[in-house]
Amino acid sequence: MKTNLTRYKKIRKFIFKVFAHLILWDIIFLLPILRIFRKKPLERWKKITKEYRNLAIELGGVLIKLGQFLSIRVDILPLEITKELADLQDEVPPESLEKILLQVENDFKKPISKIFEWFSDTPLGSASLAQVHAAKLKTGEDVVVKILRPGIDVVVETDLASIGLALKWLKLYKPVSKRVDLDWLEEEFSKVTRNELVVDKEAKNAERFANDFQDVSYVYIPKIFLEYCGNRTLTMENVNYIKMGDLKKISSVGISGAQIADKLHDIYMKQIFETNFVHVDPHPGNLFIKPLPTEEEIAKGIIDFRPNDNVPYSKDRPFRIVFVDFGMVAEIPERLRTSIREFAIGIGTRDAHKIVQSYVKGGVLAKGADLIRLEEAHESLFDRFWGIRMGDLKGKGLNEAFAFINEFWDLVYDIPFQFQADMLFIMRAVGILSGMATNLDPNFDPFAKAIPFAEKFAKEDFQQNWQGILQEGYRFGHLLLKFPNHIESILSQTQQGKLNIQMSLAPDSRKHIQKIESGLARLGWMILTSATLVSGVQLYNANPNLIMSKIFFIMSALSFLIGIRKK
């Protein structure tokens, strides 16, 4: 596929800068002695975030989508960072009207006046891959027309090539490359992103989503007018109601952010655990709130509100959540469906053992992972975070997170997970959902919301597997009856001096000892790195032209590279 070389070089330059920044300030300057020279992380990353925002606005494309994802992670990222990226929701410069009209006319092989009764000169929204214009059909319906940006194919292929380069560099970092199949991740990400450029797939996705939620009264999917869709044009019902991120407007009509957060959570639980078909791009630009008339308003003859209507305030006004843009969807594979239901039951019942077993069944654990240690870690997570509201995660939650990392540093260092690419988009959607729920309701409690689903899934699993559960109970009872005989045999052998106990170092223990040895070796090289770097800096400050300072810098770089490769 064609790529834009100039665009590619700009993105590559930025990626290189970020990697260099990360290595210098967050690896090298975390070493003893050098740590005192380390600049504050927030100010450094705020500056990089601003540079990324400017680059994304300039270039658009996939860079915007990544920025949109980060901009709503208010639950884990500092406000200074998310504010820098917030404008990316709406700050994408629109394409010229001339290019847009030409693209639509090429799609339908006729002038725009022969297709629509009316077509707006000004776009309703301008996104990274497409922009939307209001229009009216010849039959009188108000619609919005989504048109892919001209030349977007080249932009997407260039961005995917740039992301591929970043992943290639990331392969050099073993803690990540041994846990994530980066080649598979690149392939899956590329496939999902390219699917956004196939309009007929988006129409089919919307139809399936509408069927999945046809019995859920608070979900609304706009009608797609297939006869007005082309290769690069999608025409659907106008649902330009209140944007999900417009909290002031939502409040002004009498709708509670907490109610929206609850319903949004339930919608995604249904997608992940029941329909297994997930809308994975739920940023605020793709979600609207449709106010509904109250009983009193219906009695007065108001049966519906149109997009952009001035809706009066009414306490506890009913509403629907409107989904648009079904270009990015993910289907949970059969092999993972049982394990994620078991995970949900484990969360809702605070059962660390069940959660770890769900990891085993799902195949997301690395070979040789310490299951007992993982259970201990999950017990600690429940003790530390259960009941903490989403809005408190950056306060009390952050302190608890640091304490947890200190307690389970061996697990954090080892990272015993191997993430599967087809679940990363689901994780991305859950991350976005977490940020939106926090924004809508700082008191949102995800653990409490998980309990009803856990109870429901546990009841269903019991009804489906009651025979297997009874068989397990029978086997356990049979073993229990034999237990006294086994104890008597062991005691008899002990009295006769015939009991032999064999002891050996467990594989996991050997692995931890090997890690300590390699860690000590790395520590030695890092100390040498620090010493040579400090010496080089001092000599350079005394005389920038001194050859010895350059020799010390080279020695520092070599010792650092040798140190990080020590296993």
Side-chain angles (χ1 to χ4, degrees):
M1 297 289 290
K2 288 179 63 178
T3 57
N4 184 318
L5 186 59
T6 303
R7 180 187 182 90
Y8 177 79
K9 286 181 177 179
K10 279 187 178 181
I11 301 174
R12 182 181 63 184
K13 181 179 178 182
F14 179 80
I15 292 172
F16 179 80
K17 183 176 180 178
V18 172
F19 270 83
H21 178 99
L22 184 66
I23 292 169
L24 179 64
W25 293 105
D26 294 307
I27 297 180
I28 296 177
F29 273 86
L30 271 179
L31 297 172
I33 301 176
L34 293 180
R35 191 173 298 173
I36 61 176
F37 300 105
R38 187 169 179 253
K39 293 181 179 179
K40 292 182 179 179
L42 183 58
E43 290 303 315
R44 291 187 286 105
W45 286 106
K46 183 179 177 182
K47 183 179 178 182
I48 286 181
T49 304
K50 191 171 184 177
E51 290 178 19
Y52 179 84
R53 174 181 169 276
N54 292 336
L55 183 68
I57 292 173
E58 177 190 352
L59 299 180
V62 181
L63 301 183
I64 291 285
K65 288 203 163 289
L66 178 59
Q68 288 172 339
F69 169 61
L70 296 174
S71 72
I72 56 174
R73 293 313 308 269
V74 295
D75 51 332
I76 58 172
L77 293 176
L79 185 62
E80 293 86 350
I81 300 296
T82 56
K83 281 177 69 175
E84 283 292 341
L85 297 170
D87 289 341
L88 287 177
Q89 301 293 346
D90 300 302
E91 203 176 326
V92 187
E95 286 285 353
S96 70
L97 180 64
E98 182 182 0
K99 290 182 179 179
I100 289 295
L101 294 179
L102 182 61
Q103 180 129 301
V104 174
E105 290 175 345
N106 286 338
D107 243 1
F108 292 95
K109 310 299 181 192
K110 61 177 72 171
I112 197 79
S113 59
K114 299 287 185 181
I115 308 168
F116 301 103
E117 182 69 26
W118 170 80
F119 189 93
S120 172
D121 293 346
T122 306
L124 288 174
S126 183
S128 54
L129 306 184
Q131 67 185 53
V132 176
H133 288 254
K136 179 174 282 191
L137 301 181
K138 296 287 186 180
T139 50
E141 291 97 336
D142 288 326
V143 296
V144 292
V145 186
K146 176 182 175 181
I147 307 107
L148 294 179
R149 287 176 173 268
I152 194 62
D153 307 81
V154 174
V155 169
V156 167
E157 291 304 321
T158 303
D159 292 354
L160 291 178
S162 304
I163 291 169
L165 175 67
L167 293 175
K168 183 178 179 180
W169 288 350
L170 205 54
K171 285 181 190 177
L172 302 175
Y173 188 53
K174 294 299 181 184
V176 173
S177 62
K178 73 178 181 179
R179 301 303 175 199
V180 182
D181 187 338
L182 295 175
D183 292 326
W184 189 17
L185 172 60
E186 182 182 0
E187 182 181 342
E188 286 294 307
F189 183 81
S190 300
K191 182 175 72 175
V192 171
T193 303
R194 290 186 181 114
N195 280 344
E196 284 203 80
L197 305 181
V198 184
V199 170
D200 58 342
K201 279 190 178 181
E202 181 175 347
K204 291 176 183 176
N205 292 338
E207 182 180 9
R208 177 173 172 178
F209 199 90
N211 289 333
D212 288 343
F213 284 88
Q214 59 184 337
D215 297 326
V216 181
S217 61
Y218 52 82
V219 175
Y220 191 79
I221 309 301
K223 178 183 177 182
I224 306 293
F225 295 88
L226 294 176
E227 62 274 27
Y228 289 90
C229 294
N231 291 329
R232 309 179 74 78
T233 309
L234 180 75
T235 301
M236 66 178 181
E237 174 189 355
N238 187 351
V239 288
N240 190 33
Y241 295 98
I242 305 172
K243 287 188 176 182
M244 179 71 79
D246 192 348
L247 301 184
K248 186 176 180 181
K249 182 69 174 177
I250 289 171
S251 177
S252 73
V253 300
I255 298 173
S256 161
Q259 287 181 306
I260 297 174
D262 282 348
K263 284 183 167 53
L264 196 59
H265 175 271
D266 290 349
I267 291 168
Y268 267 86
M269 293 300 99
K270 180 178 175 66
Q271 290 178 68
I272 294 171
F273 296 110
E274 296 181 20
T275 67
N276 305 124
F277 188 69
V278 186
H279 182 294
V280 295
D281 196 22
H283 66 77
N286 287 339
L287 294 169
F288 295 86
I289 301 300
K290 179 181 181 180
L292 299 177
T294 62
E295 291 182 3
E296 293 179 1
E297 288 169 336
I298 292 173
K300 293 178 181 178
I302 302 173
I303 59 172
D304 196 12
F305 293 111
R306 295 172 63 85
N308 299 318
D309 276 356
N310 290 319
V311 180
Y313 176 84
S314 180
K315 187 179 180 181
D316 297 326
R317 177 177 294 284
F319 63 92
R320 287 179 176 174
I321 298 177
V322 184
F323 284 76
V324 300
D325 195 349
F326 293 88
M328 285 186 73
V329 297
E331 187 163 8
I332 297 175
E334 188 71 38
R335 71 180 189 280
L336 290 174
R337 294 177 186 178
T338 302
S339 61
I340 63 171
R341 284 173 67 92
E342 189 162 328
F343 175 82
I345 295 172
I347 290 289
T349 57
R350 295 186 61 168
D351 188 337
H353 176 74
K354 185 171 282 292
I355 291 174
V356 173
Q357 287 306 307
S358 75
Y359 297 152
V360 174
K361 291 179 181 179
V364 300
L365 289 180
K367 188 177 180 180
D370 188 338
L371 302 186
I372 295 175
R373 188 66 173 150
L374 273 173
E375 285 189 28
E376 292 173 354
H378 282 78
E379 291 285 1
S380 179
L381 282 171
F382 284 136
D383 292 340
R384 293 179 183 280
F385 294 100
W386 190 273
I388 291 182
R389 310 287 181 176
M390 296 296 289
D392 296 331
L393 281 179
K394 288 187 290 186
K396 179 184 176 184
L398 196 59
N399 295 330
E400 291 291 348
F402 282 126
F404 174 82
I405 289 171
N406 288 330
E407 183 182 353
F408 293 95
W409 173 248
D410 56 322
L411 282 180
V412 175
Y413 177 82
D414 193 42
I415 317 176
F417 294 94
Q418 47 185 15
F419 298 106
Q420 300 178 26
D422 48 11
M423 281 300 292
L424 288 175
F425 287 99
I426 309 296
M427 292 164 65
R428 174 187 182 273
V430 171
I432 295 175
L433 176 65
S434 171
M436 283 196 293
T438 305
N439 198 36
L440 289 163
D441 178 19
N443 293 319
F444 186 76
D445 184 353
F447 295 109
K449 303 300 180 188
I451 292 174
F453 284 91
E455 292 173 345
K456 176 184 176 183
F457 298 150
K459 182 179 178 181
E460 290 175 354
D461 285 354
F462 179 80
Q463 290 173 342
Q464 293 172 5
N465 304 308
W466 64 271
Q467 291 178 321
I469 293 171
L470 288 178
Q471 288 175 358
E472 286 294 325
Y474 171 78
R475 281 196 291 269
F476 178 73
H478 189 63
L479 289 171
L480 207 58
L481 290 173
K482 289 184 175 182
F483 189 65
N485 293 331
H486 289 308
I487 291 294
E488 185 178 350
S489 174
I490 291 170
L491 291 174
S492 176
Q493 289 181 55
T494 303
Q495 289 172 346
Q496 298 171 22
K498 296 179 180 179
L499 184 67
N500 293 319
I501 300 175
Q502 295 182 346
M503 299 179 66
S504 64
L505 200 61
D508 287 339
S509 298
R510 284 197 298 271
K511 185 170 68 174
H512 287 312
I513 289 172
Q514 288 169 355
K515 283 181 182 176
I516 292 171
E517 290 174 347
S518 65
L520 288 172
R522 279 197 299 270
L523 179 60
W525 284 104
M526 291 304 107
I527 291 172
L528 180 59
T529 299
S530 302
T532 51
L533 186 57
V534 169
S535 300
V537 170
Q538 288 177 340
L539 288 171
Y540 181 81
N541 288 335
N543 185 355
N545 297 320
L546 201 62
I547 266 199
M548 202 62 192
S549 65
K550 296 177 182 177
I551 292 174
F552 272 112
F553 285 142
I554 293 170
M555 288 173 61
S556 175
L558 288 174
S559 60
F560 175 74
L561 291 173
I562 293 171
I564 62 173
R565 292 179 66 86
K566 281 287 179 184
K567 297 182 179 180

